[in-house]
């Protein structure tokens, strides 16, 4: 069983037909507008070639992308980055996060993608870029992936691409943490610094009350996290020495 005729893509037209009407010629075709509907477009002229040329001029003036769209698959990556930065300023996130996003885009993402158009940035190219970033550090690759995903989600909202190429990339392998312990020399140095803090000659202001020194001893003796130790009260601690 044979399929039907393929659907005309949005922003394109079908076969141009020319017929004579008295002393003039009529050129006509069907154009698929951005709302998905096929509409008949015509043009008249005293010659067949003139009618076709006039028709094509009218077709060229019809919008090929949704009204208000600022990007297309042929747009450069830099155009997307500039528009996304403008959108970033209006988002309800901290200024520190915005500054970090701008720095990652400027230092890592834009240099790697600036020579591509949006239609040329495939999942494979994003995968290659993220693997190169992961070879440097996990945190750098994770932040670059976050920025790219946000950029392409913005492009999706502008109908510039059909899918987010970041979504198909491999998960980033997080490095396993290795527990670290202080050496005896380091512990001795910390104890000495805490005991001598603001106790020397010429130090202005009130003298320390020993809480920093005692807190360090609690941390060493109990293995608590710093936040847990800071939450303790004096009545919570007993000296069993």
């Amino acid at each position: 069983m044979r399929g039907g005729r393929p659907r005309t893509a949005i922003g394109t037209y079908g076969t141009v037909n020319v017929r004579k009407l008295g002393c003039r010629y009529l050129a006509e075709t069907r154009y698929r507008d951005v709302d998905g509907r096929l509409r008949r477009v015509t043009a008249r002229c005293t010659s067949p070639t003139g009618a076709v040329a006039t028709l094509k001029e009218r077709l060229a003036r019809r919008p090929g992308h949704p009204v208000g769209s600022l990007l297309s698959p042929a747009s450069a990556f830099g155009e997307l980055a500039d528009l996304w930065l403008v959108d970033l300023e209006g988002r309800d996130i901290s200024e520190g996060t915005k500054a970090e996003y701008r720095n990652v885009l400027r230092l890592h993402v834009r240099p790697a993608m600036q020579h591509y158009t949006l239609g040329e940035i495939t999942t494979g190219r994003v995968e290659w870029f993220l693997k190169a970033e992961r070879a440097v550090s996990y945190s750098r690759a994770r932040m670059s992936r976050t920025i790219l995903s946000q950029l392409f989600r913005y492009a999706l909202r502008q109908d510039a691409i059909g899918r987010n190429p970041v979504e198909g990339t491999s998960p980033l392998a997080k490095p396993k943490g290795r527990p670290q312990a202080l050496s005896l020399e380091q512990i001795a140095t910390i104890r000495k610094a805490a005991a001598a803090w603001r106790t020397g000659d010429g130090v202005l202001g009130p003298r320390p009350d020993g809480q920093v020194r005692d807190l360090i001893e609690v941390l060493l003796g109990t293995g608590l996290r710093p936040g847990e130790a800071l939450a303790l009260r004096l009545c919570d601690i007993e000296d069993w020495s």
Side-chain angles (χ1 to χ4, degrees):
M1 181 177 177
R2 297 180 59 184
R5 187 171 57 182
R7 176 175 293 186
T8 304
I10 291 177
T12 62
Y13 56 91
T15 303
V16 176
N17 299 311
V18 181
R19 54 194 174 95
K20 189 174 183 180
L21 295 177
C23 60
R24 297 171 67 86
Y25 290 86
L26 172 70
E28 61 181 352
T29 187
R30 291 169 66 83
Y31 183 91
R32 191 165 183 223
D33 279 316
V34 294
D35 59 2
R37 296 184 178 182
L38 281 169
R39 291 182 172 89
R40 181 170 174 264
V41 183
T42 64
R44 289 180 173 84
C45 192
T46 55
S47 67
T49 55
V52 172
T54 304
L55 177 65
K56 290 184 176 180
E57 288 179 4
R58 292 182 178 178
L59 293 172
R61 290 196 296 266
R62 298 179 77 89
H65 295 282
V67 177
S69 178
L70 302 175
L71 298 168
S72 72
S75 299
F77 178 81
E79 297 178 44
L80 170 61
D82 292 339
L83 290 171
W84 180 79
L85 286 172
V86 175
D87 182 73
L88 177 66
E89 293 304 315
R91 293 172 57 186
D92 187 18
I93 57 178
S94 69
E95 291 300 323
T97 301
K98 291 179 182 179
E100 185 177 11
Y101 284 175
R102 288 192 291 265
N103 288 335
V104 173
L105 176 63
R106 176 176 56 87
L107 296 174
H108 309 307
V109 177
R110 189 191 287 260
M113 300 289 175
Q114 63 182 348
H115 299 297
Y116 295 123
T117 64
L118 300 186
E120 293 172 338
I121 302 178
T122 61
T123 299
R125 287 194 170 100
V126 176
E127 176 86 1
W128 171 84
F129 167 67
L130 292 178
K131 284 186 175 180
E133 294 289 278
R134 179 62 183 85
V136 177
S137 72
Y138 169 77
S139 60
R140 176 165 155 178
R142 181 174 57 84
M143 183 56 68
S144 295
R145 181 186 177 123
T146 298
I147 299 301
L148 275 175
S149 184
Q150 293 191 24
L151 281 161
F152 288 119
R153 283 203 297 267
Y154 179 84
L156 278 170
R157 295 194 295 271
Q158 296 294 322
D159 289 327
I161 55 177
R163 59 182 297 272
N164 188 340
V166 181
E167 293 179 354
T169 56
S170 303
L172 295 174
K174 186 175 182 179
K176 294 182 179 180
R178 179 177 297 177
Q180 297 180 349
L182 296 173
S183 65
L184 295 177
E185 292 78 10
Q186 291 172 326
I187 292 174
T189 302
I190 292 173
R191 278 174 165 162
K192 182 179 178 181
W197 181 60
R198 294 184 58 81
T199 59
D201 296 334
V203 176
L204 302 178
R207 296 292 175 170
D209 57 5
Q211 290 190 32
V212 174
R213 178 198 61 214
D214 296 340
L215 178 63
I216 290 174
E217 295 300 327
V218 171
L219 288 171
L220 292 172
T222 62
L224 293 173
R225 296 184 178 91
E228 295 171 338
L230 289 171
L232 293 175
R233 301 166 297 175
L234 290 176
C235 62
D236 297 325
I237 302 173
E238 296 182 5
D239 187 2
W240 291 88
S241 59

